[in-house]
Amino acid sequence: MILFYTGLSLLCASTLMYEIVLTRLLSTVCWYYLAFVSISMAMFGMTAGALAVKMLPRWFQKKDTSIRVVQATFAMALAMPFSLVTMLAIPLEVSLAVETLFSFLLFSAVIAIPFFFSGVAVCLCLTQTPFPIGRIYFADLIGASLGCLAAVGLLRTIDAPSGMILIGALLSLSTVTFSAHFGEVAYRRGAYLLGLVLVVLAGLNASTLHGIQPIWAKGKVDLRNNIAAELWNPISKVRAYKMEVKEPTMQGPSPTMPRMKVEEISLDIDNDASTAVTHFQGDLQPFSYFRYDVTALGAELRAGGTAAIIGVGGGRDVLNAAVNGFNPIAGIEVNSAVVELDTKRFVSFSGFDKIQGFELHTDEGRSYLTRTGEKFDLIQASLVDTWAATSAGALTLAENSLYTVDGWRIFYEHLKPGGIVTFSRWYVGPEAYQTYRLFSVAYATLLSEGVADPNQNIALVSSGKVATILVSNQALTETDLAKLHQIADEMKFKFLSVPDEKTQIPELQNISSKRTIANLNKLRDEGDVDLSPVFDSSPYFFNAVRLSKIPHLLRSGGRGSNLRALVFVFLFMMAALVLVMLVILLPLHQWAKSHAGAAPSKSGIVYFIAIGMGFMLMEMAMMQQLSVFLGHPVYALVVVLAGLILFAGIGSLVSDGLPVAEKSSVRAPAAAVGVIIVLYSLTVVGIIHRTVSVGLWERALVSLAVVAPCGFLTGFCFPVGLRWLTALRQEDNLPWMWALNGAAATLGSFVAILISMERNITTCALTAAACYFVAAVSVTGNPVRMSTAGFADKNARAPELDTPGVRVA
């Protein structure tokens, strides 16, 4: 029995590790909004596996369960390296040709193959083995929870492709364990050999930069040349290129900037976002050229004070602050891989240890400022946008929390009198909305702080493709304005908005005419893009297109990453909806043709769809909300997701003691989940605000305390539902119910993102509660007496099902 539970836990740990590592890999290979495909394909593949068990009864008879479980885990281990190599060789980019559809279908099918075999094995374990359902599901969820933790550790030590190969080795161990339990000696020997081969292959691949790695990345061939170093971690892949003598990397350069050459090491994050490490040997004088960048305005305006630099990257903003006499300088960088390259591998080049008064913190900017008692003359963030998807969803980015009014109020509170918050964003083509929305966030922040006329505290200046906003906690003085005009005249910068001049830009005129946050919020529905301020309740600064605007934008030739991202998510949601319909209709069609087995239970269909959708909506809402609270996307993965699954596993184990003698016993857990989610929604914001300034461990414990009740109660719903249907003589339909649950979760992952964007995270959580209430109401039919193992007593009279006129055979 222990071997069985261990094998199942290893299988489920491997499955979740594959899903998480795949999310990280896809964020590198394709765009952030497609990284979420890993979650949908995990659910789709496992749903397909469960559906195969239902639709192919001759292949999956109970007498063959042991050999099929072993074969499925062994097949998943074999499929892992195959899927990895194949997916990395498929070009994935949008083109106005029919091959685009084929490439996406091929890519999705390839990555779903391992999940298919996992779905077969897990479904068989849950529905065709004699062990108590609660204990089986407990082993499943404990394994998944440990898989979350293991995935983080794996990505901290090895690259994602090599990590996937190691996951295949772990699956081989699962096969060995199942083989030992079921007595399948032949597969045990094969699994030992396969595991050994995969471990060696992973080690060899990790030892070279030119092994199994993505050929295509962001629609381009990755030549993988001139690489000096490459580091993976749970939130990114960071690559350093060999040193070049080149024109300096500038973000919003002045047209008057003199020509020059500097030594730089270029870093890129997920083959997209980039920064540069400049060779610094202790002499600041050569770096005065940074003043020719519009991002340097804040440092020049408040020279000689104290500074906090959010998003250190290669260190250009830190060097500029040092040139302008700032001391001390607090550098804050969320990406540990960037810190590793800056301060260890290339420290002799970066010279970070030679910058007087500079202290680098590996932390998320907002989280660091929340906990520190320091105040600064300058808080700066220049183009902090890796566009890397986190485990909380395709549109949930690592930097989302920096661009909300709640975050800006923290920045505002950490300014000295007259201090400045300065952010820089893109100001070109369809991405110009980022600058306008940033202005809206700053404007709303000042209103929330009681500033009567925010226009007097804001200056917005552009150069090239970038605009920089300067926001002070006091009205900009005549001296400030004179200096700004002097710099702008010298550098040929352009004023977009400044206190002593009326802006000529319609979008900024509209925002600056508002005098209340309520009026600013009405900007949500005005124009083609949403320019209303962003709050933690829906922290999607970078996604300003509403669903209702998509048809108009497409007709008018709208473009930009914002529109494309939302279109893709919407299309994937429609595909998931089709999947749910197929999972309902195909087994119904099969039963209608043969009338073999029990008539399908309508209430069972509704119940498992509802709890599948509800769990995913709840999980996504918690991940999005608490990732802001915890201050780092990795912490959200470890604490929230792993904690939620862990407590669900404990709930599943306890559920075996709940007798399913009346339908009220089945309804109670689902109804209780609905109630506890409502209570969570009503209290979580207040809890976060009261505890946000405490240390990481305290915030982690608070987060666990918040998710524990929800997780514990949700753990009851699935095993109790299976026992209820078993009591209704629906044993043959249990794989179908498992497939429905997975398909609904696939749909729920996309619905959660769209609800959170269109409304807010609280609405997403309340929708989850509504799903559980639907599940509770859907329970009909009186179960027969249950045996101690959780299966129906065959001697008891079969109850009447909820399908009119149909009795169980």
Side-chain angles (χ1 to χ4, degrees):
M1 182 183 298
I2 293 176
L3 287 173
F4 171 80
Y5 290 138
T6 302
L8 179 59
S9 292
L10 288 172
L11 170 63
C12 294
S14 302
T15 302
L16 201 65
M17 289 172 70
Y18 175 46
E19 178 184 323
I20 292 171
V21 175
L22 183 60
T23 301
R24 174 87 305 278
L25 187 61
L26 291 183
S27 192
T28 299
V29 171
C30 55
W31 300 102
Y32 70 97
Y33 45 85
L34 292 178
F36 202 37
V37 172
S38 61
I39 297 178
S40 64
M41 285 304 102
M43 296 299 180
F44 173 79
M46 296 186 74
T47 296
L51 197 59
V53 173
K54 167 63 181 174
M55 300 290 288
L56 301 171
R58 291 184 180 180
W59 278 72
F60 298 104
Q61 298 180 47
K62 285 193 175 181
K63 65 183 180 64
D64 298 325
T65 296
S66 59
I67 187 65
R68 295 291 182 255
V69 169
V70 173
Q71 287 173 338
T73 52
F74 189 68
M76 186 179 178
L78 280 172
M80 193 67 69
F82 164 79
S83 295
L84 171 67
V85 173
T86 306
M87 80 171 79
L88 294 183
I90 298 174
L92 202 63
E93 185 54 281
V94 178
S95 171
L96 298 178
V98 72
E99 290 93 339
T100 298
L101 176 61
F102 178 76
S103 66
F104 273 86
L105 289 174
L106 178 62
F107 189 88
S108 299
V110 166
I111 64 178
I113 290 172
F115 291 121
F116 172 83
F117 292 118
S118 176
V120 169
V122 174
C123 181
L124 290 173
C125 289
L126 283 168
T127 62
Q128 294 191 11
T129 56
F131 305 110
I133 289 292
R135 295 183 188 180
I136 298 173
Y137 201 47
F138 170 72
D140 177 325
L141 295 176
I142 288 297
S145 179
L146 293 174
C148 286
L149 304 177
V152 172
L154 188 69
L155 287 170
R156 287 190 181 278
T157 56
I158 201 170
D159 61 282
S162 301
M164 282 195 179
I165 298 171
L166 278 181
I167 293 170
L170 186 62
L171 284 163
S172 298
L173 182 59
S174 173
T175 305
V176 168
T177 309
F178 274 131
S179 298
H181 170 75
F182 291 118
E184 301 292 342
V185 179
Y187 279 96
R188 193 190 316 179
R189 289 197 295 264
Y192 273 127
L193 178 60
L194 177 61
L196 178 61
V197 169
L198 291 177
V199 169
V200 172
L201 179 60
L204 291 174
N205 194 64
S207 66
T208 176
L209 291 171
H210 306 289
I212 300 173
Q213 295 292 338
I215 296 174
W216 299 90
K218 302 292 193 289
K220 299 177 182 178
V221 176
D222 186 355
L223 298 177
R224 298 192 63 79
N225 55 359
N226 298 320
I227 301 174
E230 187 173 77
L231 298 179
W232 291 75
N233 63 22
I235 63 171
S236 72
K237 179 196 75 174
V238 181
R239 178 184 298 175
Y241 292 93
K242 294 177 181 177
M243 187 272 291
E244 293 181 278
V245 179
K246 51 181 285 194
E247 292 187 0
T249 300
M250 304 291 279
Q251 295 171 330
S254 162
T256 65
M257 180 177 172
R259 300 289 296 272
M260 62 180 65
K261 299 284 187 178
V262 297
E263 293 180 340
E264 286 186 347
I265 292 175
S266 296
L267 308 180
D268 75 38
I269 300 170
D270 284 358
N271 289 79
D272 182 30
S274 62
T275 184
V277 183
T278 307
H279 193 188
F280 176 63
Q281 296 177 304
D283 181 9
L284 291 169
Q285 193 278 329
F287 298 95
S288 59
Y289 67 83
F290 281 133
R291 68 186 300 267
Y292 288 91
D293 199 313
V294 72
T295 61
L297 267 176
E300 199 163 354
L301 201 62
R302 289 291 180 269
T306 58
I309 306 298
I310 299 173
V312 167
R316 62 185 309 280
D317 290 338
V318 173
L319 283 173
N320 180 58
V323 168
N324 282 281
F326 284 87
N327 189 351
I329 303 169
I332 311 159
E333 174 56 57
V334 71
N335 197 319
S336 60
V338 172
V339 174
E340 164 81 12
L341 294 172
D342 285 339
T343 62
K344 293 182 180 178
R345 297 207 183 188
F346 301 118
V347 67
S348 62
F349 187 88
S350 70
F352 274 21
D353 56 341
K354 299 180 178 68
I355 302 174
Q356 189 174 1
F358 174 53
E359 187 174 332
L360 182 57
H361 305 271
T362 308
D363 204 343
E364 192 272 335
R366 173 174 166 180
S367 178
Y368 171 82
L369 290 172
T370 299
R371 299 190 315 275
T372 185
E374 299 176 77
K375 291 185 180 290
F376 303 92
D377 294 288
L378 176 73
I379 298 176
Q380 180 175 355
S382 301
L383 294 171
V384 180
D385 56 354
T386 61
W387 298 91
T390 73
S391 56
L395 304 180
T396 305
L397 309 180
E399 51 273 2
N400 272 0
S401 64
L402 296 177
Y403 294 96
T404 70
V405 173
D406 308 82
W408 271 61
R409 292 192 68 180
I410 292 170
F411 306 150
Y412 188 92
E413 291 165 3
H414 283 79
L415 290 176
K416 292 180 180 179
I420 288 176
V421 176
T422 174
F423 272 50
S424 299
R425 292 297 330 144
W426 297 110
Y427 186 62
V428 58
E431 305 306 322
Y433 81 90
Q434 295 182 28
T435 290
Y436 302 144
R437 205 169 199 197
L438 186 65
F439 185 90
S440 181
V441 168
Y443 200 91
T445 301
L446 292 168
L447 285 176
S448 69
E449 292 292 337
V451 177
D453 183 7
N455 293 298
Q456 300 304 309
N457 297 55
I458 301 177
L460 185 61
V461 188
S462 71
S463 182
K465 298 179 180 180
V466 171
T468 293
I469 193 168
L470 309 168
V471 182
S472 178
N473 56 7
Q474 295 179 356
L476 294 174
T477 65
E478 291 184 5
T479 303
D480 292 332
L481 297 176
K483 192 166 185 178
L484 279 174
H485 280 284
Q486 176 190 341
I487 296 170
D489 289 343
E490 179 187 354
M491 301 294 177
K492 306 301 182 187
F493 293 157
K494 180 182 177 182
F495 284 121
L496 304 180
S497 178
V498 70
D500 58 351
E501 294 180 12
K502 185 176 180 180
T503 181
Q504 300 302 309
I505 299 172
E507 290 85 352
L508 298 180
Q509 287 178 349
N510 194 14
I511 295 169
S512 60
S513 67
K514 311 302 183 186
R515 287 296 178 267
T516 66
I517 292 179
N519 285 334
L520 281 172
N521 288 336
K522 293 178 181 178
L523 294 170
R524 176 183 180 85
D525 301 314
E526 298 179 12
D528 291 340
V529 294
D530 179 4
L531 298 182
S532 64
V534 183
F535 296 86
D536 283 354
S537 58
S538 184
Y540 298 97
F541 173 88
F542 295 99
N543 294 279
V545 174
R546 305 271 70 81
L547 280 176
S548 60
K549 302 292 184 180
I550 289 179
H552 166 70
L553 288 171
L554 292 176
R555 286 194 301 269
S556 61
R559 55 192 177 87
S561 59
N562 195 194
L563 175 62
R564 188 165 67 164
L566 193 58
V567 169
F568 267 95
V569 172
F570 181 74
L571 290 177
F572 273 118
M573 186 185 74
M574 292 297 100
L577 181 59
V578 171
L579 170 64
V580 172
M581 298 306 298
L582 287 175
V583 174
I584 294 174
L585 296 175
L586 288 177
L588 278 177
H589 176 69
Q590 183 189 53
W591 182 83
K593 286 177 62 178
S594 64
H595 284 82
S601 168
K602 292 180 181 177
S603 58
I605 292 173
V606 174
Y607 178 87
F608 280 94
I609 289 176
I611 65 170
M613 177 84 76
F615 185 85
M616 186 57 69
L617 288 167
M618 178 191 71
E619 174 193 306
M620 298 293 285
M622 289 180 170
M623 287 283 287
Q624 294 167 65
Q625 201 155 44
L626 293 174
S627 64
V628 174
F629 173 56
L630 288 167
H632 197 292
V634 173
Y635 302 152
L637 180 65
V638 171
V639 176
V640 182
L641 183 57
L644 189 62
I645 295 173
L646 171 64
F647 285 108
I650 296 172
S652 174
L653 184 63
V654 175
S655 74
D656 275 340
L658 181 69
V660 186
E662 299 291 341
K663 59 188 176 184
S664 59
S665 300
V666 184
R667 286 176 171 173
V673 173
V675 171
I676 202 71
I677 293 175
V678 171
L679 292 175
Y680 163 85
S681 301
L682 295 175
T683 59
V684 67
V685 174
I687 293 171
I688 288 174
H689 287 169
R690 283 194 295 272
T691 58
V692 69
S693 61
V694 302
L696 174 60
W697 285 109
E698 291 93 334
R699 281 177 286 134
L701 290 174
V702 169
S703 297
L704 282 174
V706 167
V707 304
C710 297
F712 178 75
L713 290 173
T714 56
F716 279 72
C717 297
F718 186 83
V720 166
L722 289 184
R723 289 168 57 205
W724 164 54
L725 286 183
T726 301
L728 292 177
R729 301 288 175 84
Q730 291 276 314
E731 294 97 330
D732 292 341
N733 289 325
L734 296 187
W736 182 19
M737 297 302 110
W738 197 87
L740 283 170
N741 186 260
T746 304
L747 178 60
S749 63
F750 294 105
V751 172
I753 291 294
L754 292 178
I755 290 176
S756 298
M757 271 184 49
E758 290 293 310
R759 300 302 301 170
N760 51 54
I761 295 174
T762 299
T763 302
C764 180
L766 291 175
T767 305
C771 288
Y772 279 100
F773 288 134
V774 169
V777 172
S778 72
V779 176
T780 58
N782 292 312
V784 299
R785 182 167 52 86
M786 301 294 294
S787 70
T788 56
F791 291 94
D793 185 344
K794 301 299 182 182
N795 296 318
R797 186 176 66 85
E800 186 169 329
L801 285 176
D802 59 319
T803 305
V806 178
R807 289 182 179 272
V808 179

